[in-house]
């Protein structure tokens, strides 16, 4: 629906005139129900009928809802998207004065909070001078599952999706970034200073471009005296020193280096990638090595199958964990009852886990347990009780008996594996 | 037991480890740097390797105790390229390595003192024209022209890489812990001082270094249109954000939905 409010003065006049023969029809047409509590008067001033405010509650008592939801329901007021979030301002930068290149990590194909902070930093650099705004270019390797580039503050998006850039191919990626440096020559290069990914790529890039980067950057301040107009504060010497220096062209920033973009939405317009040079690679990626999930520390595990008091068939549970390739976790009750070792306990008095997927089977979701899974991305709950707290936290909840569902899971996964194996054999 | 380092047996792989002076994070005393010690450990576990240690920096009592920590891991000597306090050690290291290039160069990811930007291995690799690989977990096999190694990924995962030699490999906390430094060999070992011109680091001289300030904690600011929404957000209990609930589903349907989510998240892919 269009945001523009169209007024029909004649209908408004009829709506105000209770004695008009068409009064009731017009009221119904304006969608105000019985009587509007507010309407624009003839001079544009808002008129109120205090008796028409509110609604009759379930017990026959008149209730007034001051949240604005009631009035806002019919004619959505401008600047409100209806879900309580203020609408974001749309920003288009047609002819940027300069470019800020950002290479997000995109762990798992999505922008991490570190990436968002970095894009916030890029926006600060780009928007410093409103007369000559710069554009933020995000450079993405491989297919991204992220859809929120526009909301994160990206003006232009370069997707480099070639087979030789997939996997661990730092040399090919640096060659690609050098090609972008030549074709776009951005004023700033920003990368997340993360262990693998941005931290490595950024240092390689800086070495290739012959720039001395600011590593561990956590704050920037405007400074007219320096070459790029900014002063940077960086962590050095294993976090024990603050180094204050001019902001160089290449910067590797820590998490929380700036506030993520929250008030604007940008174009995220795709840019055609430049022709990539043939890079000769001396590092060959032989692929991931199968790691025994049971040997992975619980706090580091990516995928956890956690068991609680709702498990009766422990054999079946362990079988499911092996079939899924999940690391095992447990609630305190399962540990106290002796079914699981102490180092597998998740929660306030156990381990705070960071899994991307956490499957809780037969766990009620006590607050001490939920604390431990705060940083998990996706939570799946399997429980017989549809009202328990774990279901409220879960992204996907399956109501049913744990033993039957775990068994079905094992069958389903083995079947999928066979299908996949068949496909691989055929190929 | 002195390591077979000194007898430069023919056919042995020539490995150099760059070591630096570390700083204990709590007491601030100089020590062997943790990551560098892990790099030395990784080199010592190699079969048939001739390992030598190289340090570029000042020659003082303080740094000498730290460097002797590495000698105590089983070395008879360490090459010390003497440099002034304000020197950029990169040119000195590059020319030393050019004069006697090793097949494999190991080092820590970041120094514990100084700028500590972790850039030196990359600059060395770039100027020597060697490939560089980070985050070593284990060296699996060494062939005449290649090294096969496991790289540590986040979340305890490992990746196998095959790298053309000569190469630079950096080591971080994922590598096995270093062995203890024994007092006797540490005392007996020699620091072989070698001369190189010191080039002052001009850029560093222009920066201000100060003890790290605690970083401000980020406040959780709730952006909402009305006061009621802000209040609700502040007082909210963790509530389900539109999670999908499957009631009255057969176990098979439930399993199907779970497997689909696992596949979408990509956590099953490795197995399938
Ligand atoms: C100081 C303190 C610290 C604590 N720290 C921790 C901690 O670190 N970690 C922790 O986990 N707990 C901790 N607890 C304990 C916590 O309060 C809960 O008691 C505990 O988490 C409950 O575990 P549970 O969900 O496995 O068991 P229950 O609460 O008994 O829940 C069992 C669930 O399984 C379901 N169920 C039953 N049968 C089936 C079936 N056949 N199929 C499917 N579902 C079924 C039930 O509906 C129920 O939801 C702590 C408590 C205290 C006081």
């Amino acid at each position: 629906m269009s945001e523009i409010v169209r007024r029909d003065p004649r209908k408004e006049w009829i709506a105000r005139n209770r004695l008009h023969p068409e009064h009731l029809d017009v009221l119904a047409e304006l969608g105000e129900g019985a009587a509007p509590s507010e309407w624009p008067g003839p001079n544009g001033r808002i008129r109120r009928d205090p008796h028409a405010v509110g609604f009759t509650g379930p017990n026959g008592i008149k209730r007034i809802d001051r949240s604005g939801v009631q009035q806002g329901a019919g004619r959505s007021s401008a600047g409100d998207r209806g879900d309580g979030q203020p609408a974001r301002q749309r920003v288009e930068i047609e002819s940027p004065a300069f470019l800020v290149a950002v290479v997000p990590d995109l762990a798992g194909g999505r922008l991490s909070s570190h990436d968002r902070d970095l894009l916030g930093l890029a926006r600060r650099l780009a928007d410093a001078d409103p007369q000559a705004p710069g554009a933020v270019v995000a450079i993405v390797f491989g297919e991204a599952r992220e859809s929120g580039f526009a909301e994160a503050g990206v003006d232009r998006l370069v997707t480099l999706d070639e087979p030789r850039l997939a996997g661990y191919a730092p040399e090919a990626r640096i060659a690609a970034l050098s090609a972008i440096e030549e074709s776009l020559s951005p004023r700033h290069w920003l990368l997340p200073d993360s262990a693998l990914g941005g931290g490595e790529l950024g240092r390689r890039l800086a070495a290739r471009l012959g720039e001395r980067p600011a590593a561990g950057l956590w704050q920037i301040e405007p400074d007219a005296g320096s070459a790029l107009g900014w002063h940077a504060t960086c962590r050095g010497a294993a976090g024990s020193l603050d180094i204050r220096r001019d902001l160089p062209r290449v910067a590797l920033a820590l998490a929380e280096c700036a506030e993520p973009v929250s008030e604007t939405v940008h174009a995220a317009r795709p840019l055609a990638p430049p022709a990539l040079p043939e890079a000769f690679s001396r590092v060959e990626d032989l692929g991931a090595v199968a790691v025994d999930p049971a040997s992975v520390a619980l706090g580091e595990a990516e995928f956890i199958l956690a068991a609680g008091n709702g498990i009766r068939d422990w054999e079946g549970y362990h079988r499911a964990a092996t079939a899924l390739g999940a690391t095992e976790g447990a609630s305190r009750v399962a540990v106290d009852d002796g079914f699981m070792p102490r180092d597998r306990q998740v929660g306030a008095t156990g381990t705070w886990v960071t899994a991307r997927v956490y499957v809780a089977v037969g766990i009620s979701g006590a607050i001490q347990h939920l604390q431990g899974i705060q940083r998990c991305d996706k939570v799946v709950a399997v429980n017989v009780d549809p009202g328990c707290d774990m279901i409220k936290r879960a992204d996907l909840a399956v109501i049913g008996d744990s033993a039957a569902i775990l068994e079905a899971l094992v069958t389903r996964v083995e079947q999928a594996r066979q299908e996949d194996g068949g496909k691989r054999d055929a190929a | 037991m002195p390591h077979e380092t000194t007898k430069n047996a023919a056919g042995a792989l020539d490995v150099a480890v760059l070591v630096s002076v570390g700083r204990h994070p709590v007491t601030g005393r100089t020590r062997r740097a943790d990551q560098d010690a892990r790099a030395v450990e990784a080199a010592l576990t190699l079969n048939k390797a001739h390992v030598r240690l190289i340090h570029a920096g000042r020659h003082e009592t303080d740094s000498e105790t730290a460097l002797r920590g590495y000698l105590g891991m089983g070395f008879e000597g360490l090459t010390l390229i003497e440099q002034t306090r304000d020197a950029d050690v990169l040119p000195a290291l590059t020319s030393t390595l050019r004069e006697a290039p090793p097949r494999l160069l190991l080092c820590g990811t970041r120094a514990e003192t100084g700028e500590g930007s972790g850039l030196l291995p990359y600059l060395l690799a770039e100027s020597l024209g060697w490939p560089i690989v980070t985050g070593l977990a284990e060296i699996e096999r060494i062939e005449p022209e290649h090294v096969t190694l496991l790289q540590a990924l986040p979340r305890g995962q490992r990746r196998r890489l095959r790298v053309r030699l000569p190469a630079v490999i950096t080591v971080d906390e994922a590598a096995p812990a270093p062995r203890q430094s024994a007092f006797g060999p540490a005392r007996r070992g020699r620091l072989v001082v070698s001369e190189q011109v010191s080039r002052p680091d001009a850029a560093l001289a222009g920066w201000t270094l100060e003890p790290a300030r605690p970083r401000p904690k980020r406040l959780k600011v709730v952006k909402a249109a009305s006061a009621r929404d802000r209040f609700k957000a502040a007082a909210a209990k963790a509530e389900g954000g539109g999670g999908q609930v499957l009631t009255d589903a057969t176990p098979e349907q439930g399993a199907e939905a779970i497997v689909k989510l696992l596949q979408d998240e990509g956590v099953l892919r490795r197995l399938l």
Side-chain angles (χ1 to χ4, degrees):
Chain A
M1 203 180 81
S2 131
E3 290 281 285
I4 304 165
V5 183
R6 302 233 179 261
R7 294 177 58 175
D8 183 343
R10 179 170 172 276
K11 283 202 179 130
E12 285 176 5
W13 176 72
I14 297 175
R16 285 196 301 275
N17 184 354
R18 282 186 288 115
L19 302 178
H20 196 281
E22 289 171 33
H23 177 68
L24 285 177
D25 301 338
V26 167
L27 270 191
E29 192 180 325
L30 286 179
E32 301 287 328
S37 61
E38 274 184 12
W39 64 91
N43 304 329
R45 182 184 288 194
I46 297 291
R47 294 286 174 193
R48 272 208 179 91
D49 177 1
H51 300 290
V53 173
F55 58 96
T56 313
N59 301 335
I61 299 173
K62 190 154 191 186
R63 297 278 174 207
I64 298 178
D65 180 358
R66 293 190 196 278
S67 69
V69 175
Q70 231 197 342
Q71 288 116 313
R75 36 184 147 97
S76 75
S77 59
D80 195 273
R81 290 192 310 186
D83 56 356
Q85 292 286 318
R88 289 176 169 216
Q89 192 193 342
R90 209 158 240 300
V91 179
E92 290 264 354
I93 296 171
E94 279 307 326
S95 45
F98 60 94
L99 296 177
V100 182
V102 177
V103 189
D105 270 350
L106 285 180
R110 302 220 172 82
L111 287 173
S112 64
S113 63
H114 193 168
D115 291 337
R116 288 179 196 279
D117 296 344
L118 193 73
L119 287 166
L121 185 75
R123 279 256 70 91
R124 268 192 74 191
L125 292 172
D127 300 338
D129 180 5
Q131 305 308 318
V136 174
V137 188
I139 296 151
V140 175
F141 291 103
E143 44 124 24
R145 273 184 283 163
E146 176 66 45
S147 53
F149 283 113
E151 282 79 15
V154 175
D155 295 307
R156 306 279 189 277
L157 188 65
V158 181
T159 309
L160 299 168
D161 195 3
E162 281 195 32
R164 67 194 149 103
L165 296 176
Y168 184 70
E171 294 177 318
R173 289 186 177 199
I174 284 304
L177 291 184
S178 311
I180 289 187
E181 160 80 12
E182 266 169 35
S183 65
L184 300 180
S185 42
R187 184 185 289 183
H188 300 277
W189 279 99
L190 297 182
L191 294 100
D193 198 353
S194 51
L196 279 172
E200 183 191 345
L201 208 59
R203 288 184 175 84
R204 281 179 194 269
L205 180 71
R208 180 63 50 87
L209 301 184
E211 300 280 343
R212 188 161 180 174
L217 177 142
W218 60 274
Q219 201 177 43
I220 58 168
E221 286 143 31
D223 172 16
S226 71
L228 290 174
W230 295 90
H231 211 78
T233 312
C234 310
R235 277 283 140 96
S240 64
L241 275 186
D242 268 345
I243 302 176
R244 293 172 45 75
R245 53 177 293 190
D246 292 350
L247 181 71
R249 276 194 67 213
V250 182
L252 308 168
L254 296 177
E256 302 200 0
C257 52
E259 289 298 325
V261 173
S262 64
E263 279 165 5
T264 49
V265 50
H266 294 257
R269 194 187 306 156
L271 269 190
L276 300 186
E278 277 302 324
F280 141 80
S281 176
R282 296 160 298 184
V283 180
E284 193 185 339
D285 186 353
L286 300 182
V289 179
V291 180
D292 178 12
S295 72
V296 177
L298 199 53
E300 279 202 336
E302 183 172 34
F303 172 28
I304 298 178
L305 184 72
N309 200 17
I311 299 255
R312 296 281 161 273
D313 173 16
W314 285 93
E315 284 295 306
Y317 161 72
H318 292 301
R319 218 174 323 117
T322 323
L324 293 172
T327 305
E328 294 186 354
S331 79
R332 180 158 176 176
V333 174
V335 172
D336 283 353
D337 291 353
F339 292 114
M340 295 287 285
R342 181 63 71 193
D343 67 338
R344 293 284 134 189
Q345 181 182 324
V346 174
T349 44
T351 311
W352 291 51
V353 297
T354 55
R356 279 209 292 128
V357 182
Y358 185 83
V359 184
V361 188
I363 296 181
S364 59
I367 184 71
Q368 292 91 353
H369 191 87
L370 289 184
Q371 271 172 359
I373 60 169
Q374 269 168 2
R375 286 168 59 197
C376 294
D377 283 351
K378 292 266 183 245
V379 175
V380 180
V382 176
N383 208 308
V384 279
D385 172 12
C388 73
D389 284 337
M390 187 53 93
I391 303 246
K392 292 189 189 126
R393 166 71 172 83
D395 300 275
L396 169 69
V398 182
I399 310 297
D401 180 54
S402 60
I405 292 177
L406 284 179
E407 207 178 298
L409 254 181
V410 173
T411 331
R412 176 70 185 74
V413 166
E414 269 164 8
Q415 175 200 338
R417 193 171 305 160
Q418 260 163 20
E419 275 169 23
D420 202 66
K423 244 184 270 162
R424 214 174 283 156
D425 289 346
Chain B
M1 175 209 74
H3 197 256
E4 49 179 295
T5 49
T6 39
K7 304 162 228 133
N8 190 355
L13 182 84
D14 186 11
V15 180
V17 187
L18 300 184
V19 295
S20 65
V21 176
R23 179 182 168 279
H24 193 279
V26 179
T27 62
R29 279 167 60 168
T30 55
R31 58 161 191 182
R32 50 177 191 168
D34 179 58
Q35 295 179 343
D36 297 352
R38 284 173 198 260
V40 175
E41 179 66 41
L44 287 179
T45 47
L46 290 177
N47 263 336
K48 282 209 285 176
H50 165 70
V51 184
R52 51 194 166 108
L53 304 181
I54 303 176
H55 171 75
R58 282 170 295 146
H59 188 186
E60 292 176 344
T61 13
D62 227 20
S63 58
E64 185 165 333
T65 15
L67 294 176
R68 286 194 177 275
Y70 298 107
L71 291 176
M73 294 171 79
F75 290 90
E76 286 180 359
L78 177 152
T79 311
L80 197 154
I81 308 167
E82 209 171 334
Q83 297 276 293
T84 53
R85 171 181 274 276
D86 57 352
D88 179 4
V89 297
L90 183 73
L93 280 177
T94 318
S95 59
T96 306
L97 290 170
R98 280 229 179 90
E99 279 162 23
R103 291 298 281 166
L104 190 61
L105 181 65
L106 288 167
C107 54
T109 304
R110 281 171 187 232
E112 293 177 2
T113 53
E115 188 187 351
S117 65
L119 199 68
L120 181 105
Y122 295 90
L123 292 174
L124 270 178
E126 189 74 24
S127 62
L128 294 170
W130 295 357
I132 173 168
V133 170
T134 51
L136 172 78
E138 190 189 330
I139 294 183
E140 287 192 320
R141 198 150 47 95
I142 298 212
E143 294 150 86
E145 290 301 318
H146 290 97
V147 54
T148 311
L149 54 91
L150 291 185
Q151 185 184 40
L153 303 183
R155 303 194 172 283
Q157 301 299 312
R158 298 277 183 269
R159 176 158 60 197
R160 187 168 286 129
L161 300 176
R162 190 154 178 265
V163 187
R164 165 89 53 96
L165 291 175
V168 183
I169 297 178
T170 71
V171 174
D172 61 18
E173 279 76 19
R179 63 190 66 183
Q180 291 253 329
S181 172
F183 184 69
R187 279 280 302 269
R188 283 193 296 276
R190 281 170 303 114
L191 300 183
V192 187
V193 178
S194 101
E195 290 293 322
Q196 288 282 352
V197 197
S198 294
R199 295 243 183 80
D201 187 343
L204 185 68
W207 301 348
T208 37
L209 307 185
E210 53 201 33
R213 275 184 288 153
R215 289 181 60 184
K217 276 232 174 68
R218 175 178 280 180
L219 299 177
K220 203 174 144 220
V221 181
V222 177
K223 290 228 167 67
S226 70
R228 185 171 180 270
D229 292 335
R230 269 197 298 279
F231 176 76
K232 260 176 37 187
K237 219 177 117 189
E239 58 184 89
Q244 182 197 1
V245 181
L246 295 184
T247 22
D248 307 325
T250 62
E252 284 70 32
Q253 286 164 340
E256 185 69 45
I258 294 176
V259 167
K260 181 159 180 310
L261 183 138
L262 299 182
Q263 275 169 343
D264 286 350
E265 285 299 313
V267 289
L268 272 189
R269 213 180 329 169
R270 255 172 295 117
L271 271 172
L272 292 184

